[in-house]
Amino acid sequence: MRHEVRSLRGMVTAPHHLAAQAGLGVLQDGGNAVEATVAIAACLAVVYPHMTGIGGDGFWLIAEPDGRTHAIDACGAAAATATLDLYRGHDAIPWRGPLAANTVAGTISGWAAALESSGGTLPLARLFHDAIQHAEAGVVVTRGGAEIAATKGAELRGQPGAWAQVFEPAGRPLEEGDILRQPMLAATLTLLARDGLAGFYQGPLARSIAADLARLGSPVSAVDLAAHRAMRPAPLQLDIVGATLFNTAPPTQGMASLLILALFDRLQADAPEGFEHIHGLVEATKQAFLFRDRHVGDPAYMTIDPQAVLDDGAGLDELARRIDPERALAWPQPPAAGDTCWFGAADAEGRVVSCIQSTYFEFGSGLVLPETGITWQNRGSSFRLAEQGWNALRPWRKPFHTLNPALARFDDGRVMAYGTMGGEGQPQTQAAIFTRYARYGIGLQEAITRPRWLLGRTWGDDSTSLKIEDRFAPELYEELSAAGHLVELLPAFTATMGHAGAIVRHADGVLEGATDPRSDGQVAAW
């Protein structure tokens, strides 16, 4: 896909075409962008279960027609019994299994918070209609979904719970073109539509969820579920030339995403796709990640004010001066993993939504709850088993999150929602898309379609190389290598670069959207 989709009455973009169509249908039935986003989120939980689900976490940025921009933090905290004693004998929290399922799932609370403030009128039964239908009747497995199921099956089919029953019903991984049916999840979504979203945390459904988790060995209890609340922290914001950028506050890495663009805004880079552009963003990424890994986590445990850092022009100038315009900083830093879904929506009233949700690794902890069909996240496996320090495990502590949705308000009245899946790759792809579109005037779809790069990894083998798709000019690879970057060439349109998307609302009401050819996605508009 090479050209933007444009419309006037409403638009959505999502990494799966059925989810995009679900959101569009809600807009056509009179729903607003928030309601459409909830419909997309519910549908993705069914059609993209390897990437997201109602057993995970989510974060929202909402640009209102009156100029306000607000955020929702739907991140679950560690269970009350998730202590160091629980993991005695372990060097680290397991990535899979019951002990990896140690945090509350916050996604549903985020949907509730967003709908509460949206002014929407459509019932939950309408918002969940497509998701329930796809869960009951089935959805055709995509190539990407089949590849992940085959790759991860060995480590997941032996986990307690219903994973093999749901995702390997014939005793083998589902293949491209097979039909995935999830009747238990359909029943759960039907209950939520009937009884309300609070039922995920209190009431009969919550008791069923807690009982399943207990039987499977997870420390998350009914008390933990009942104590959970979505939060509404102020979004982080950053003024750069021509725009104000927004992202989500800790425990997300939204601060790192903004730092990259703050530092690049101070660098000389006259032409897109050349050495100055790519090298500058990669080196800005290193400085932002070094800062992130020293300071960012659960805000209750942080010693800095992230907004104050972003407001400190002299401090940002000093960070920018640490970037050598000709040489790469050595990069032995450990990577962060994560698989995710970003999606967005805009309506005719002028509301624009940027949203992201995830179960962390593919299929999360691997626990599929037998009574409800919910795949529970493993976000808490990122905690460190340490007495003190960054992201150390504590009861009720929020884990560090790679998730971060992005949004920008331009001085000329445009509003842009954008984002991607991909762990460490999220801030880097956001920076690539935004600088191409905003600084260099490249079309929105072209900004996403063009080749990308990744310092570190999203999924696959651990690596700290600078991975670059092979569609750049050949001399760029040589220049980057000569500057000290460890360049690793990847195939064109590799899913390693994530599944990005974007929507821009212009001051005159024209909407334009883009989706990633690396995904199964679609822009749907009317």
Side-chain angles (χ1 to χ4, degrees), residues 289-290 292-293 331-337 390 424 456-457 462-464:
F289 282 3
L290 288 170
R292 176 200 69 184
D293 293 346
W331 193 245
Q333 302 299 311
W390 181 82
E424 295 274 84
R457 63 154 286 198
D462 287 351
S463 170
T464 55

Side-chain angles (χ1 to χ4, degrees), residues 190-452:
T190 300
L191 280 176
L192 288 168
R194 186 192 72 189
D195 299 338
L197 299 178
F200 191 92
Y201 302 99
Q202 299 182 57
L205 177 58
R207 288 193 291 273
S208 172
I209 291 170
D212 262 352
L213 288 167
R215 280 190 289 269
L216 298 180
S218 163
V220 176
S221 70
V223 172
D224 298 315
L225 292 172
H228 173 77
R229 300 289 186 277
M231 301 180 69
R232 297 180 181 273
L236 299 178
Q237 63 182 76
L238 170 75
D239 291 329
I240 64 168
V241 175
T244 300
L245 309 179
F246 297 88
N247 214 301
T248 44
T252 80
Q253 64 174 341
M255 183 181 185
S257 294
L258 293 178
L259 277 175
I260 293 170
L261 292 170
L263 301 183
F264 187 73
D265 202 45
R266 289 162 164 78
L267 302 180
Q268 180 70 32
D270 293 334
E273 318 296 279
F275 175 81
E276 288 181 344
H277 182 199
I278 310 303
H279 172 80
L281 282 175
V282 171
E283 294 305 297
T285 296
K286 292 176 181 177
Q287 293 299 326
F289 282 3
L290 288 170
F291 192 95
R292 176 200 69 184
D293 293 346
R294 284 194 299 268
H295 298 292
V296 176
D298 186 331
Y301 293 81
M302 289 174 59
T303 58
I304 64 159
D305 176 354
Q307 186 59 59
V309 173
L310 294 169
D311 291 339
D312 181 6
L316 295 175
D317 291 343
E318 173 57 31
L319 275 179
R321 281 193 291 270
R322 298 179 189 179
I323 296 174
D324 188 325
E326 298 179 354
R327 295 295 302 173
L329 179 70
W331 193 245
Q333 302 299 311
D339 296 312
T340 306
C341 284
W342 178 90
F343 41 101
D347 58 34
E349 297 173 356
R351 192 175 290 104
V352 181
V353 179
S354 180
C355 186
I356 194 165
Q357 61 184 38
S358 172
T359 53
Y360 199 28
F361 284 20
E362 304 95 333
F363 298 104
S365 65
L367 297 191
V368 176
L369 308 191
E371 290 187 10
T372 59
I374 299 170
T375 301
W376 208 263
Q377 68 182 353
N378 66 331
R379 181 62 59 174
S381 65
S382 68
F383 282 121
R384 295 168 51 249
L385 294 180
E387 292 287 348
Q388 302 291 335
W390 181 82
N391 211 35
L393 177 66
R394 292 284 184 281
W396 306 297
R397 185 173 189 170
K398 290 188 174 187
F400 167 74
H401 256 282
T402 52
L403 300 185
N404 67 112
L407 193 141
R409 287 185 180 273
F410 291 85
D411 295 350
D412 63 10
R414 286 174 294 166
V415 179
M416 178 181 182
Y418 61 108
T420 183
M421 56 165 277
E424 295 274 84
Q426 288 182 43
Q428 301 179 63
T429 293
Q430 288 180 15
I433 294 168
F434 184 82
T435 57
R436 284 169 170 166
Y437 175 77
R439 183 161 175 170
Y440 300 117
I442 295 170
L444 194 64
Q445 182 60 58
E446 183 69 13
I448 290 175
T449 301
R450 284 193 181 190
R452 297 206 290 264

Side-chain angles (χ1 to χ4, degrees), residues 29-46:
D29 283 355
N32 61 35
V34 170
E35 292 172 307
T37 303
V38 170
I40 295 168
C43 197
L44 284 171
V46 173

